[in-house]
Structure formats: C-alpha cells, structure tokens
Amino acid sequence: MSMRFPSSGRQFMRELFPPPKLPLLDATVWAVALTLLVVVVLADIFTPASFAVGTVLSASVALAALGESKKTVWQLTALAVLANLIAGFWNGWRDGVETFHLLNRAVSILAVLLVGFLTIRAREASERAAALAQEERELTRERARRQLAEEMGGPLGQKEFVERAATTLQKLTGASSVEIGAVDRAILGHPYALALAPDLTPHDHPSRLNQRIPLEFLAHPVGAGDVWASGGGNVYLARLRRPTEGDLLLILSNPQTPPSVTGMAIRTLQPLLERTALLDDLRENREQLAERGEVLRDLVYAFSHDLRTPLLANGMNMRSALDGAYGELPQEYRTNLQNGLEANETLLALADQILLVAKYESGENAQEETQSVNLRDLTVSVIHDLKPRAGAKGVTFDTALSGVTVQGRKHDLRRAVQNLLDNAVKFSPPGGTVRVSLSDDDDEAVVTVRDQGRGIPADQQARLFQRFRGSGAGSGSGLGLYLTRRIAEAHGGSVRYQRRADARSEFTLSLPLGAL
C-alpha cells in the first residue's frame, strides 16, 4: 500500500495535533472549566481587589459552549457568580470595602452573566444551524435517492442493472470511474460494467475485467459499514449481495462525495438487484416455455402433415373401390367403405383444425396477407360441400344471403363458417332445417346459423368457445368453436351463442366490413 505524505506544513501540524471533535463530552468540559475556575478564584483571592481578576471567570462559562448541553452553561454560570461573590467577600475582608472594588466586582459578575447569556444564544443558533444543515443533508440524500431510483427504474436484468448502476453512481458521486463486477476467486467477471467520467477514455483507466483484484479491495474491515475506503481514501469499495450467486464488487475511484452518499446508493440498489434476479428467472422461464412451445408446434405440424398423407391415400383408395375400380362390390362392403370414407374425412378435417389452431396459437396467422372475401360465395360453397351429409339425414338448408364482402384470410374465414354449419347439421334432428342468413348490419357482416337441435345447456355455455370443452351439444373434437372464436377475433370480429325461447341454438358470427 502506498504511503501518503503531508503536502504542507499546516497539514503536517493538523495531522500531528488534530483538532478536537465537537461537541466535547460534558465530563471533559466540567474538568477543564472547574480547573480554570479554581485557578482564577485562587488568583483572585491572593491578588489585590484592584486587579479585578474575577472578570476572567467568564472564560470557564465560555468553555461550556463546546459541550453537549445548555444545562452545563447555566450550572457553570452559577458557579462563576458564586466564585465571584466568595472572592469579593474575601478581598473585602482582607483589603477593606471601597466603591471602586465594588464596581469591579459588579462588572465581573455582569461579565459572567453576559457571557453565559451569549453562550446560550450561541448554542441555540448553533443547534438551529446544525438542524438546518441536517435537513439540507437529508434533502440532498432524498434527492439523490429519488434520482437513483428514477435512473434505475424499469424492468432490468442483471446485465442491464450493472451497466445502469455504474453510470448512475458515476454521475451521483462524481467519481473518475465506477466499476461493478462479480467476484469469483478474486477475479472480477461478468456481469461487469465500467463507467468513466466524461473527460476520461478507456486508455486513461483500463478495465479490470477478468483480472485479479488486490486483496485490500476484497478485505472488508470489521465495523466499516456498507462502504469502506482503500488506496489512501481515494477509492471507495462496496458490495451488493446476490442470494444465489457471488457478490457484486463496486469500485469507485476518486469520488467527490462523502461515503454516506455511496452508502445511501448501496442501500437503494440492494432491493433493486434482488428484483432483477426475479426478472432474470422470469425471462429464463419464458424462454424455456417459448422453446417448448416451438417444439410442441413443430410436433403438431409434423403430426398433422404425417396424418394427412396416409389419410388422403386411404380416401383415394376407398373412392376408387366405390367407383368400381376393383369390380362390383357387395352392398355390405360398399356401406363399410362409405362409413370409412366419412371417418377418413373427419380425421382430415381434424388434422386441418389442429394445424390452424397451432398457427393461431403461435401468432403466425398475423404474417399472412389478407384479401377481399365475398362472404356470400364462401357460404354458398360451404353449404354445397355439406349437402351430401345433410341430405343423408334429411336436413335441408334455408338461406337468406346478401352480397357482403369483407377483408380477411379466405381459408380461415371458410373454416369459421364451415365449423358453424357443420355443427348445425351434426346436431339437427333428422328432417330438420338449418337456417343461414348473411346481412350487412352497422358496418358489420353478420352470419347467423340456426338449427333445430336440442340446444346447449346453460351450465356449458360459459366454456362453449374454449378448447376441449365438455361433451354435449356443440361438442366434438373440442377445437371447432374455439378455432371459430380465434379466427373471428383475429379479423376484429366476434362469435356468440344464443339459446332461443324454443330451446333452439343460434350462432352469430360478426366481422367488420373495413380493412384489418
């Protein structure tokens, strides 16, 4: 450690004879004042009355201004007046009483009283000044604390926290440099930041990153508090505790503020650092969830794609068989093939829905371009595709379709309308009627689907548009209505269900007419 030498004779004398720390202890004040009082009284007694030595008794009262309490001032004042009276009586008995001597003694007593009064006033003024100075220091610390909190505001990970803390501490303390880094085996490592004064460059103050720290920087003196000094007082050091990792070491070179300012900053930064650890954990968990989500999405894509390929091939073979590619088939075989073909189409539709759900869950749908979609033509196309299945149950369609055009993704909108119509056919009784209407209502395209099914119980309506809802009317794969809701919301619209007075179901799909 380098040694410091006094730069001047005055500094040498101050270091050799340091000034006392004020206020003095009452015991010290009493010892000095009583000693002086006894000496002056003895001098007054053994000298002629004309010398007026009693005036010097006021000096013992003045010493009380250096003490801790006003009570001492009054007590010493009373003792000095008493000593004056004792010395006066002694001198009068010895030298006789003269008017001049009485005037001298009165002046001595008045001097003591005046010094006592002025000492009290000086102490009161000093206390007011000290209180004002303390308030100013508190205001300064509060402003600094508020500035520090504002500078360190916002969600910060540990890396961002260390960088911003170094910059903020450099501005707050006026230090030539502030370094913050994690200490591992006396090596300063990441997270790390170095903030320099505006007039310095990295060449003026090389970084200590990945370098061994001097032992004097690592040793925390006992009783030193949050901040301790090194390098002859030119370097302030502090630590920020991390619950699960090594501490962060703060190195402030040539700070222009007292250690109390740095200590206040450390106490303010400590809870903020603990908050950054939580934020880092949340970020890590979010990244892990995002990674798992990508894996699951890739699995869904792969599963749906791999499922579609054999299903399409299987469907082609069954259609070929029904068309006579393998000769005339018994009716029993044809019925089985027809049932298998319907099941095959159901699985294909499920695969399409799974792909579409994965796309909406991942947000990839927002990247697709929109186009002008004629909802009337789209609805007619869906009804045409569903007529064979509806005809097998004797279900008919009653339509009232206006020519309405919206802006959106045609394939997704077709899926939304198809899900509603498919449900209506599925849950309509044999010979029932599905009523489909399309109209333009207050800048919205409104598709309404009514069927004659038994309706959806009230206890199931709240989760009707959720994924994998319970069994009952409107159920199936558990994805159809959920997907319809996601498509409607992605297009700025909505879908709702109403159970009519006759206990029948009515689904309403609303879409804005304007551009997305």
Side-chain angles (χ1 to χ4, degrees), residues 123-419:
R123 283 194 59 83
E124 291 175 349
S126 176
E127 290 172 357
R128 287 195 297 270
L132 290 175
Q134 180 64 24
E135 290 180 4
E136 181 63 27
R137 286 192 293 271
E138 291 294 335
L139 288 174
T140 301
R141 281 196 290 267
E142 183 60 31
R143 284 194 295 266
R145 186 182 295 111
R146 191 172 303 170
Q147 177 186 354
L148 182 63
E150 290 176 357
E151 293 285 346
M152 299 299 298
L156 301 175
Q158 288 198 34
K159 182 176 182 296
E160 298 92 338
F161 171 87
V162 168
E163 292 173 353
R164 193 174 296 184
T167 303
T168 304
L169 282 174
Q170 192 282 318
K171 293 179 182 177
L172 182 65
T173 63
S176 60
S177 68
V178 175
E179 282 184 275
I180 305 178
V183 178
D184 182 19
R185 299 176 185 175
I187 303 295
L188 198 63
H190 291 287
Y192 172 84
L194 169 62
L196 299 175
D199 58 340
L200 295 181
T201 65
H203 178 72
D204 300 323
H205 190 290
S207 169
R208 292 188 177 93
L209 180 62
N210 296 325
Q211 295 184 11
R212 185 170 294 278
I213 302 300
L215 291 180
E216 61 185 280
F217 284 12
L218 300 176
H220 187 177
V222 178
D226 296 326
V227 180
W228 67 97
S230 183
N234 295 323
V235 177
Y236 289 172
L237 300 160
R239 284 180 180 268
L240 287 172
R241 309 292 179 186
R242 294 193 294 175
T244 58
E245 301 173 279
D247 295 345
L248 296 178
L249 179 66
L250 287 75
I251 307 173
L252 291 78
S253 300
N254 303 310
Q256 303 302 308
T257 54
S260 59
V261 175
T262 306
M264 176 276 299
I266 296 302
R267 290 188 293 273
T268 304
L269 290 173
Q270 184 62 56
L272 299 179
L273 175 60
E274 295 170 359
R275 189 177 67 184
T276 63
L278 295 176
L279 183 60
D280 282 342
D281 290 341
L282 289 175
R283 286 179 176 175
E284 183 179 355
N285 292 337
R286 186 171 59 189
E287 291 173 358
Q288 292 177 355
L289 289 174
E291 183 178 354
R292 292 173 185 174
E294 291 180 2
V295 171
L296 290 175
R297 186 186 60 196
D298 292 343
L299 288 174
V300 168
Y301 285 170
F303 169 76
S304 299
H305 180 270
D306 292 345
L307 182 64
R308 285 177 57 85
T309 301
L311 288 175
L312 287 173
N314 194 35
M316 291 177 60
N317 288 331
M318 286 189 287
R319 287 193 183 90
S320 297
L322 288 172
D323 292 339
Y326 305 110
E328 189 67 24
L329 297 177
Q331 184 60 39
E332 184 180 355
Y333 283 8
R334 293 183 63 84
T335 301
N336 287 336
L337 285 174
Q338 190 65 44
N339 292 337
L341 188 58
E342 291 180 1
N344 202 74
E345 291 176 352
T346 301
L347 288 176
L348 279 172
L350 176 60
D352 287 339
Q353 286 187 343
I354 291 175
L355 280 173
L356 203 52
V357 167
K359 183 174 68 175
Y360 272 84
E361 292 289 349
S362 63
E364 291 183 6
N365 61 295
Q367 302 174 5
E368 298 181 1
E369 295 184 359
T370 61
Q371 64 186 82
S372 180
V373 180
N374 188 313
L375 278 184
R376 184 183 185 281
D377 293 345
L378 185 147
T379 305
V380 169
S381 174
V382 172
I383 292 174
H384 178 269
D385 291 344
L386 291 176
K387 275 187 176 180
R389 188 190 306 174
K393 293 181 62 176
V395 175
T396 59
F397 290 97
D398 181 10
T399 60
L401 307 177
S402 302
V404 180
T405 301
V406 298
Q407 194 75 13
R409 290 172 281 275
K410 184 175 181 179
H411 177 269
D412 293 357
L413 291 174
R414 178 183 174 84
R415 170 55 63 183
V417 173
Q418 181 176 332
N419 285 343

